[in-house]
Amino acid sequence: MTREAGPREGLDERAVLLAAGLADLAVSTVSTGLGLVRGLLRRSDAAEVAAEAERDLEARGRLLLDRYASPPPAHLEVLARHVLARRAGHDG
């Protein structure tokens, strides 16, 4: 795949290479994860580890939803509140 290609063929080739790399990463991650799961199942404190992992996943989910689910405040609204706070500070 080292031959010279036109612009369109280069994009197609890049897309295929990216997809193949992503698939390889996914397989590697899954196999590593399975090894970790096997190790966890042999532990005597597996229930505690599972509960901690569940809490961690819930916290990550909460952070993700907080980050992407609610829209950020309007820029002009933030500026207006800042101006009002400064005026209140100068008046008082």
Side-chain angles (χ1 to χ4, degrees):
M1 292 194 134
T2 60
R3 63 180 171 80
E4 293 291 324
R8 180 66 184 152
E9 290 175 354
L11 289 176
D12 291 343
E13 183 177 338
R14 244 182 115 200
V16 169
L17 291 174
L18 288 172
L22 185 61
D24 182 53
L25 178 63
V27 168
S28 173
T29 302
V30 167
S31 64
T32 301
L34 288 176
L36 288 172
V37 168
R38 282 189 211 118
L40 286 175
L41 291 176
R42 293 186 193 120
R43 292 178 61 138
S44 61
D45 61 344
E48 294 168 10
V49 171
E52 185 177 333
E54 182 179 353
R55 286 190 301 271
D56 184 51
L57 285 175
E58 286 178 3
R60 285 175 175 265
R62 187 174 300 114
L63 287 172
L64 180 76
L65 289 177
D66 288 347
R67 185 180 310 144
Y68 294 111
S70 61
H75 181 69
L76 291 177
E77 180 70 23
V78 172
L79 289 176
R81 289 180 184 174
H82 183 70
V83 168
L84 290 175
R86 288 182 80 185
R87 284 184 185 165
H90 287 325
D91 292 340

